[in-house]
Structures are given as structure tokens and as C-alpha cells.
Amino acid sequence: MKRRDFLVAAAAAASGCVRATQHKDAAEGARRKPAAKPNIVFILADDLGYNELGCYGQRKIRTPNLDRLAAEGMRFTDHYSGSPVCAPSRCTLMTGYHTGHAYVRGNLGRPRIGQLPMPVETVTLAELLKKEGYRTGAAGKWGLGGPGTTGHPNQQGFDHWFGYLDQWNAHSHYPDYMWRNTKKIILEKNVGGKQVRYSHDLFTEEALTFLRASVGRGPFFLYVPYAVPHVSLHVPADSLAEYKGKWPETPYKGGHYSGHPTPRAAYAAMITRMDRDVGRIVALVKELGVERDTLVVFTSDNGPTYAGGADSAFFESAGPLRGLKGSVYEGGIRVPMIARWTGRIEPGSTSRLPCAFWDWLPTFMDLAGAAGRTPKGIDGVSIAPTLLGRSGQKRREYLYWEHHPGRGMQAVRMGPWKGVRLNARAGAEAPIQLYNLDSDVGEQKDVAAEHPDVVEKMTAVMDGGRTESPYYTFGAPSKARDEWFAKARVESARMLQPEWLHEGVEP
């Protein structure tokens, strides 16, 4: 037998052994009693709208794997992100605090340096799960602290990290560099504007590697904060081919974000590629025999974008909801959410429970059998009873959001009522709009004048349900904010110099 033929035969035999082992693992996993502490895979899309999955009503973009995940698990109709923009939404997820109490309440940052970092004393979901014996890993976009800061993922409970630390860097899906833990990884094939190594694909491979390395070593928490479909409109040709020529197109010329000749096709292709890779992650969980031990959650960090050539109107990205990313109307904060735990969550089920990102920390602690060790005073409540179809779901009085650009915004969800204050800097002088979401999910009819008692309750929450922050204030800019920006400006200028790219890189 020729050497090449021998190697091919050996590889095929090895592949067959691996497949046989994986099938055996999957069969044994299906028979085994679920583990006491579930593995957790939390997948987060970036700027994915409420109506951009088939199982939520999307008709133009294919999402077969996520639609299947919903059919095998629970779909939430009234799930909310932590904020209408990236960094604060992720902070609420990691800490269990809403944006009236969270440390990071807005996208306060400079290029490459990263957003305002969470302080070292922050208690995060990853830290808490690690204390419960979980192996913790993340791959994707962080946004809660740059290199060398207290907000770095390795400083906030993650054993392993790979991806973008800084949100500005994530505006390209073909970046010059990434971070693996504290080490800068130069993507030489992308340097100089080349588009070879697609960051989304790297995140998926890192997630799959973490899964393979974690099974059999106790429970694990895998956080996959993908950077798509956030613009720029970048997607490999093999995915673009599915949609190219399907719809009339107006080329996007670009600006801060890259241009694209077929923006609609590119945007749809980004979502379908993400759907494909969610399918790969879910399939590996099954192949490794831990499907019944693993809770898989998929959601988005905020509503769909208005920038970079994305056509949210064409795709009806927010569905019947008002507003887009950056808005505290429903379209900016109500997001798709799917949870699947084979054998524990009822397949094909739907929940209308109003819940939000800050509920995940107490939920995961509850499911891990550690509800008594959940930090006191956080804003989240466990939604484990709803997920598992049990009685005893705690009902909260309200959900709260604040957003600081321009005149500032606040929003409150209280039962079917939604209150919106668009000029938060004016305080009590600013009117509150009121909508009944049961009859007006599109927030078109302001009924504040008809329900002064409800408006009074909304006012009390907006004025008293938050604490002041030195970095995010509805008043005059604080000294602390100005000082941080001054330091960030200097450091950012240094990091934007061409030589910084290879600074500190190990040979």
C-alpha cells in the first residue's frame, strides 16, 4: 500500500472510531440521569432584532438551527436585554444589576482601550459559577474592560478568554488582532485591510475547542458573545452566495463602517452563518453525550441597528415593535430568547414572562443549587421555575432601564404598562409616555392622561429606583468622568499608533 493510501485509510478508520465513540457517548448521555449542576452554554448575538429569527416571524432570512432550538425548548416573547446598547447590556448580564444600579451604564470608551472597565471588586456571574466548581470560558466580544484593566475577563471570573476586548475593534470582522487571555494574537493574514480570517469563525472554533476540553471535568459555563450581525457588513463569500442577487440592492458606500455592494444579502448571510454555527455548537453538545446535562440559551444584546448599511425596515427586523438599537422603546430592548435543556424544559413551549438580562445570574445560581449564595441586593430574580415548568415563579414589581446619550432616556415595564421618559435630564419636569403593551405592543397610543395613577408609579420608579453614578449622570458631567476620559484619550492615542500592534507580542 502506498504511503498516501495508508494515511487516508488510517484517517478514515480513526474518524470512524471517533464517530463511534461520540455516538456511544450520546447514547449513554441520553440514558444517564441529568447532572446535579447543569452545564451552561450562553450564546449572545450582537444587534439581532426581535423579528430576525424564523421562529419569531422572520420570512426573508433563514435560521433553521435556531428555529429547531426553539422547537426543542422554550421561546420567550417578553424577554429584554439589559440596555439598548452593547456594553451596559453585557454588564447587567454579568452582574445581575439593571442599568440604574450597574457600574457600566453606557458605551463610555475610546478606540482600542476598551470601555469603562468594571472594578476588580465586581462580583460576576463567571466568578460565582467558578466558586461552584464550574470551568468558565468565553469567546467573542467583551466590552467591559480593555487590556491590562480590572475589567479584563480573566480578572472577572473567566478561566479562558478569546476575542475582542474593545468594541471599537469589533467594528471589523476581519481585525488585525485578537486577545487570547492576556496575550495579543496578531492575525497577520488580515493586516493591511485584507479579509481572510473571519472573527466569527474563530469564535466558533474556540467555543468548540472549549467544549471538547471541558466534558468530563465537572460542570462548565461557556459564554459565546458573537459580534454578528453588528456592522460592518462583513461575511465570507460562501455565505454571501446564498442571498446574492435575491433582492434589489443599493450599494452601501461606507464611512466609519465598511461599505458593501450588496448590503441586504450581506446582512442576511451574517445571520444565517451565525445560525449555522449555533447548530454546530448544539450538535457537539449532543455528540459529546452531555445534551441532557446542558442548558443552552440564545438571545441578543439589544435591538437591531440603524447604521452601517443594515436595512432594518426591509427585513422588518423589530417586527411590530417601535424603535431600534439606542432606543428604550420596545424595539431597542425587547429581544428574542430561546432556552433548551433536553428532558427538563418542555419542547415547543412559550413563555410570556417579562424578564431581562439581570435575571440570568440568579437563575443560573438557582439551577446550580446555589440560590442561597446569590449576592444579596441585586435586581435580578430567578426564572428557573418558569424554565422548568414549576410553580412559585417570583413576580417582580417592575423592570427598569436608563440610557444616557443626548437628553437621556428612562423606561419602566410594570405588568402590561410601559413608561418612557425621553428627556431624563429634565427630571420631574419631563413628561412620561404610557403604553399598554397588551393592546399596543407597538407603543403608538400614549394613554398617560387616562391613567395618572400608573404614571405616578412610573415616576416613583424613575426617580427612586436608581442610584447616582459618577460616570453616568443625568446632570452635569462629573469630575470622575472627565478624568477618566482624559486618561483614556492619552492611552488610546498610544494604542492607535501602528507600532502598538506588535508591541508586547511574544515571538
Side-chain angles (χ1 to χ4, degrees), residues 256-295:
H256 172 74
Y257 299 107
S258 299
H260 201 284
T262 58
R264 289 173 174 170
Y267 187 77
M270 291 170 78
I271 293 175
T272 297
R273 193 178 190 91
M274 176 183 65
D275 175 84
R276 179 201 71 180
D277 291 334
V278 170
R280 292 175 65 196
I281 291 171
V282 173
L284 183 59
V285 167
K286 183 175 182 178
E287 289 169 11
L288 294 172
V290 292
E291 184 178 32
R292 295 177 67 83
D293 299 333
T294 305
L295 168 63

Side-chain angles (χ1 to χ4, degrees), residues 129-178:
L129 290 177
K130 191 172 180 178
K131 288 181 180 178
E132 298 302 322
Y134 279 73
R135 192 165 187 258
T136 56
K141 169 179 155 181
W142 180 241
L144 296 173
T149 72
T150 57
H152 190 284
N154 293 148
Q155 297 291 318
Q156 297 292 341
F158 283 99
D159 298 316
H160 179 76
W161 163 257
F162 177 81
Y164 301 104
L165 291 176
D166 173 39
Q167 293 178 184
W168 294 69
N169 193 34
H171 289 178
S172 171
H173 298 287
Y174 292 101
D176 293 345
Y177 67 97
M178 287 285 186

Side-chain angles (χ1 to χ4, degrees), residues 50-64 66-67 70 75 271 275 338:
Y50 184 81
N51 194 47
E52 290 188 325
L53 302 180
C55 54
Y56 279 84
Q58 178 58 221
R59 297 182 178 181
K60 294 184 173 74
I61 304 171
R62 284 198 329 109
T63 56
L66 285 161
D67 298 345
R75 184 178 66 90
I271 293 175
D275 175 84
I338 300 165

Side-chain angles (χ1 to χ4, degrees), residues 82-350:
S83 169
V85 293
C86 299
S89 199
R90 292 151 201 266
C91 185
T92 69
L93 174 66
M94 286 292 122
T95 66
Y97 288 104
H98 62 54
T99 45
H101 296 139
Y103 188 82
V104 177
R105 305 185 188 186
N107 284 345
L108 189 64
R110 302 291 299 178
R112 283 193 177 172
I113 195 172
Q115 305 303 110
L116 177 73
M118 293 190 297
V120 69
E121 62 269 20
T122 304
V123 178
T124 68
L125 171 59
E127 287 177 329
L128 291 167
L129 290 177
K130 191 172 180 178
K131 288 181 180 178
E132 298 302 322
Y134 279 73
R135 192 165 187 258
T136 56
K141 169 179 155 181
W142 180 241
L144 296 173
T149 72
T150 57
H152 190 284
N154 293 148
Q155 297 291 318
Q156 297 292 341
F158 283 99
D159 298 316
H160 179 76
W161 163 257
F162 177 81
Y164 301 104
L165 291 176
D166 173 39
Q167 293 178 184
W168 294 69
N169 193 34
H171 289 178
S172 171
H173 298 287
Y174 292 101
D176 293 345
Y177 67 97
M178 287 285 186
W179 296 92
R180 177 170 284 113
N181 297 317
T182 59
K183 182 180 179 182
K184 191 190 305 174
I185 307 298
I186 307 300
L187 303 178
E188 296 287 358
K189 292 183 178 181
N190 289 351
V191 174
K194 297 187 290 293
Q195 297 186 356
V196 179
R197 302 195 71 186
Y198 193 53
S199 63
H200 172 83
D201 293 352
L202 300 179
F203 300 151
T204 301
E205 292 305 323
E206 201 80 11
L208 296 174
T209 298
F210 179 86
L211 283 175
R212 294 187 184 100
S214 298
V215 170
R217 299 176 63 181
F220 59 81
F221 170 47
L222 172 60
Y223 175 44
V224 189
Y226 278 136
V228 295
H230 192 298
V231 290
S232 293
L233 294 172
H234 290 159
V235 69
D238 60 331
S239 287
L240 182 65
E242 178 176 350
Y243 293 101
K244 195 171 182 179
K246 194 167 186 178
W247 307 297
E249 299 273 14
T250 300
Y252 175 62
K253 295 181 180 180
H256 172 74
Y257 299 107
S258 299
H260 201 284
T262 58
R264 289 173 174 170
Y267 187 77
M270 291 170 78
I271 293 175
T272 297
R273 193 178 190 91
M274 176 183 65
D275 175 84
R276 179 201 71 180
D277 291 334
V278 170
R280 292 175 65 196
I281 291 171
V282 173
L284 183 59
V285 167
K286 183 175 182 178
E287 289 169 11
L288 294 172
V290 292
E291 184 178 32
R292 295 177 67 83
D293 299 333
T294 305
L295 168 63
V296 179
V297 178
F298 176 88
T299 187
S300 176
D301 67 342
N302 49 247
T305 192
Y306 50 82
D311 194 342
S312 293
F314 176 75
F315 290 112
E316 299 180 279
S317 298
L321 309 180
R322 178 178 178 178
L324 300 172
K325 175 181 179 178
S327 164
V328 294
Y329 290 113
E330 294 289 284
I333 54 176
R334 193 190 289 213
V335 291
M337 195 274 277
I338 300 165
R340 192 204 73 171
W341 186 0
T342 302
R344 301 299 300 278
I345 293 177
E346 183 182 354
S349 54
T350 300

Side-chain angles (χ1 to χ4, degrees), residues 3-20:
R3 174 177 172 79
R4 180 181 180 280
D5 294 337
F6 173 79
L7 292 174
V8 170
S15 176
C17 289
V18 169
R19 285 196 298 270

